[in-house]
Amino acid sequence: MTMVGATCTGCGTTNVIGATAAYMHGMGTVIRCPSCDTALIRVAQVRGHYLLDMRGVRVLQIKEG
Ligand SMILES: [Zn+2]
């Protein structure tokens, strides 16, 4: 299972995000920091492409295992 951690630009908290959460919900998904409500990742679906707006993420950690 791949674990994804995103460090929030707002408060510096690292939040674990389910690897599939970012792209399973389709259009208009916003993943927010549970600590300060900063929008970490916005997901938009445009003509079959998923666009990840990750301006709220300072560091993205991807861990396999
Ligand atoms: Zn935060």
Side-chain angles (χ1 to χ4, degrees):
M1 181 178 177
T2 301
M3 299 292 286
V4 177
T7 302
C8 175
T9 59
C11 67
T13 299
T14 299
N15 304 287
V16 175
I17 297 172
T20 58
Y23 53 85
M24 289 298 288
H25 300 296
M27 197 167 189
T29 299
V30 178
I31 298 173
R32 291 187 178 276
C33 174
S35 297
C36 72
D37 211 36
T38 292
L40 297 173
I41 302 172
R42 292 186 178 89
V43 183
Q45 186 178 6
V46 180
R47 292 189 291 274
H49 295 260
Y50 289 99
L51 307 179
L52 304 183
D53 178 340
M54 297 174 58
R55 72 185 66 182
V57 177
R58 184 185 301 165
V59 179
L60 193 68
Q61 302 176 38
I62 301 173
K63 180 181 179 183
E64 292 183 288

